[in-house]
Amino acid sequence: MSKEETASYIKHHLTIAGRQDTLFSDDAVELIHLTSRGLPRSVNNIAWQSLIAAFTEEKGIIDEPSTRTAITETHATE
C-alpha cells in the first residue's frame, strides 16, 4: 500500500472499532507505513503493538515514540 492507503487503512479499521477521533498521529502513521512497507499484516501488527505501548505509557494518542517502542518489541520477536 502507499502511505495514503496505509493511513486510510488504519483509519478504516479504527472506524469499524467505533473510533471517529484521531488516535494515531501523522508521524506515527508514517513510521508504521515505512516499517511495514505497506504490508497489511505488518501494519496491523505494528499498530496493535503501538496501541499497547501508548496504553502502557498512559498516552491518549499513539505518537512516534510509542510506535518506535512497538517496532522494537515487534521486531525483537521475529
Side-chain angles (χ1 to χ4, degrees):
M1 295 185 286
S2 69
K3 183 170 76 170
E4 293 77 20
E5 289 170 327
T6 298
S8 180
Y9 180 82
I10 292 170
K11 183 176 173 126
H12 173 71
H13 281 273
L14 290 171
T15 301
I16 290 172
R19 283 299 285 250
Q20 298 297 322
D21 57 327
T22 300
L23 187 57
F24 286 82
S25 68
D26 292 339
D27 56 346
V29 172
E30 184 171 347
L31 184 57
I32 290 169
H33 173 71
L34 290 172
T35 305
S36 70
R37 294 170 284 147
L39 300 171
R41 184 174 296 204
S42 292
V43 170
N44 290 340
N45 290 338
I46 296 168
W48 177 251
Q49 290 300 321
S50 296
L51 284 164
I52 293 169
F55 175 78
T56 301
E57 298 165 359
E58 298 181 3
K59 294 181 178 179
I61 190 164
I62 292 85
D63 57 7
E64 185 179 354
S66 297
T67 302
R68 287 195 184 282
T69 299
I71 290 166
T72 301
E73 294 295 321
T74 302
H75 290 278
T77 59
E78 289 182 354

